[in-house]
Amino acid sequence: MTRSESLNLLQRLEMQEDSLIEVFVTSASYGQWVAVLEGLAAGGFILRMKHFDSDVPVDINPAMFNEGDNVDYLLSVQVGRQSWTTQFYSSTLIDFQGDPRGIRTEKDVADVAEFMRVISEATGQTVCLSSETLDYANATAYMTVTAYGAHDGSS
């Protein structure tokens, strides 16, 4: 990402105000979730998990995915100065929510880009950063990251 692109992203996030932002991959699988968590841990990211309000080991299983029902688990990933979270809404959607107010410097942008790169490498897919959405197909991406060898959706 160039300095100009980084500065443009910072401006967009500043206008985001009180709404959350999201890093996501659609058409995912449980195996890709496992690969993402393994990749993040191997990359030095700090992972923490809660079941309701109790700390539990970071160890996912298919039963944790609520597929839209009650949200029992919360995974937090420390990304530089930021904390990104997911509640395992669906095994087919890898999504992490973050606070745009935590991204204020070019270093913060680089941290998010690295987080996204690890996810892309683990899934083999392009990872998008957008405002929080339920309409992933029509979300406007503020930034996309495609790791080497990952499919970027073009032919």
Side-chain angles (χ1 to χ4, degrees), residues 22 24-28 33 65 89-95 136:
E22 188 161 20
F24 66 89
V25 173
T26 58
S27 302
W33 266 106
F65 293 90
Y89 296 107
S90 172
S91 59
T92 62
L93 173 69
I94 296 172
D95 67 323
Y136 296 95

Side-chain angles (χ1 to χ4, degrees), residues 90-138:
S90 172
S91 59
T92 62
L93 173 69
I94 296 172
D95 67 323
F96 291 90
Q97 290 75 39
D99 185 342
R101 294 172 296 190
I103 304 174
R104 291 290 175 233
T105 67
E106 290 179 67
K107 169 75 167 88
D108 295 334
V109 172
D111 290 342
V112 173
E114 177 61 12
F115 174 57
M116 293 172 68
R117 185 200 62 78
V118 171
I119 295 170
S120 178
E121 194 171 87
T123 62
Q125 296 186 53
T126 297
V127 179
C128 297
L129 170 69
S130 74
S131 60
E132 189 175 38
T133 184
L134 294 175
D135 185 5
Y136 296 95
N138 294 310

